[in-house]
Amino acid sequence: ARALATGMPLIRHTVLVDPAWEGSLEAHRQWMIGPDLLFAPVVSQGETTVEVAFPEGQWEHLISGTVENATADGFEIQMGTNHLGHFALTGRLMPLLKKTAGSRLVVVSSVGHKMGNIDFSDLNWETRKYKTNNAYFDSKLANLYFTYELARRLGENGNSPVVTAAHPGWTRTELQRHSGLISFLNNFFSQGVDMGALPTLRAGFDDAVEPGDYFGPSGFMEMQGDPVKVPSNARSHSAEAARQLWKRSEELTGIKY
């Protein structure tokens, strides 16, 4: 965004991701320290961007809402992709973030977090009947647990990145491609991706942002509108649950901050 606003030239790399990637921890490690050092220029040089191309159909597990699946590490695919992968990646990037003045971390959640209720005894849905929507809502609640717990852990350390969160409201994207009724209702209640991106951009670039701030659309039920600071539900502020998720995330990913 800063590059586009200032006219800074963009250097684009196109990366073909293997179908087995699916957010695996090994893939994160390879991207971090692989021969092309893809993340090094992305996080240290403002003029560099990366375009990632997935083979046709590889997003279906996340988009369709119909397939029970697991990541390459055996994690339930929603929790593995939306939370555990980001937990591991952020942990590996944290030394660089702490060395970068003014760095900021924006975690993208959803209004769906309000319907989440994580079963910590069965994080990967191994003993319960699998419910795709519930798994998604849980992963979005996990995003906020992660945001608030990381903000607490970083505290007032001046060398730490500012940790914020955002959600896009009801935005028309490929996420609803196979959702039937929801896809139809897009015509009446949703907003375009240009508006849906604004809460994330405000969380990332507003100079007045404080650690733990959460942004979303200003309109009815936070479905549409300009980006404003919004409240998350009471469950998402449970410090006990956030610590529990943090501990399980460390155990499952092997990453400690």
Side-chain angles (χ1 to χ4, degrees), residues 4 73 75 98 101 134 147 155 204 250:
L4 292 173
D73 299 286
F75 306 142
K98 287 183 175 180
N134 292 50
T147 299
E250 287 184 335

Side-chain angles (χ1 to χ4, degrees), residues 10 26 29 48 64 104 112 136 158 167 182 209-210 212 214 225 229 231 239-240 244 257:
L10 298 179
E26 177 60 19
R29 189 191 67 80
T48 303
S64 67
R104 192 173 297 189
Y136 173 76
H167 78 82
I182 299 300
V209 162
E210 297 290 336
Y214 181 43
K229 187 175 177 181
E240 165 86 28
Q244 193 171 358
Y257 285 58

Side-chain angles (χ1 to χ4, degrees), residues 44-63:
S44 62
Q45 300 177 27
E47 72 275 11
T48 303
T49 64
V50 172
E51 295 178 346
V52 180
F54 279 77
E56 183 65 28
Q58 287 308 304
W59 286 111
E60 291 302 313
H61 294 315
L62 297 179
I63 294 171

Side-chain angles (χ1 to χ4, degrees), residues 6 9 12 24 34 41 51 63 70 77 82 88 94 96-97 130 134 146 167 173 176 212 216 232 243:
T6 60
R12 298 187 182 277
S24 74
E51 295 178 346
I63 294 171
I77 196 164
N82 293 342
M94 190 55 65
L96 180 58
L97 291 171
Y130 187 71
N134 292 50
F146 173 60
H167 78 82
T173 69
Q176 303 107 352
S232 60
R243 285 192 294 268

Side-chain angles (χ1 to χ4, degrees), residues 17 31 70 117 122 161 181 190-191 197 208:
V17 180
W31 277 38
N117 188 11
D122 187 25
L181 178 61
S190 66
Q191 61 183 358

Side-chain angles (χ1 to χ4, degrees), residues 162-181:
V162 174
V163 185
T164 63
H167 78 82
W170 189 334
T171 298
R172 292 186 300 278
T173 69
E174 292 295 277
L175 182 67
Q176 303 107 352
R177 182 191 299 168
H178 303 293
S179 57
L181 178 61

Side-chain angles (χ1 to χ4, degrees), residues 69-146:
N69 210 322
T71 69
D73 299 286
F75 306 142
E76 186 277 317
I77 196 164
Q78 306 271 15
M79 187 66 74
T81 303
N82 293 342
H83 167 64
L84 292 170
H86 293 72
F87 179 91
L89 177 59
T90 303
R92 286 175 168 141
L93 289 174
M94 190 55 65
L96 180 58
L97 291 171
K98 287 183 175 180
K99 289 191 296 185
T100 304
S103 64
R104 192 173 297 189
L105 175 66
V106 181
V107 181
V108 180
S109 184
S110 165
V111 289
H113 82 271
K114 297 175 182 179
M115 291 175 277
N117 188 11
I118 298 172
D119 183 344
F120 290 102
S121 68
D122 187 25
L123 205 61
N124 287 316
W125 291 79
E126 295 170 320
T127 62
R128 294 171 288 164
K129 178 178 173 58
Y130 187 71
K131 296 180 180 179
T132 305
N133 288 338
N134 292 50
Y136 173 76
F137 298 147
D138 286 356
S139 73
K140 295 289 100 179
L141 176 59
N143 290 150
L144 290 173
Y145 284 151
F146 173 60

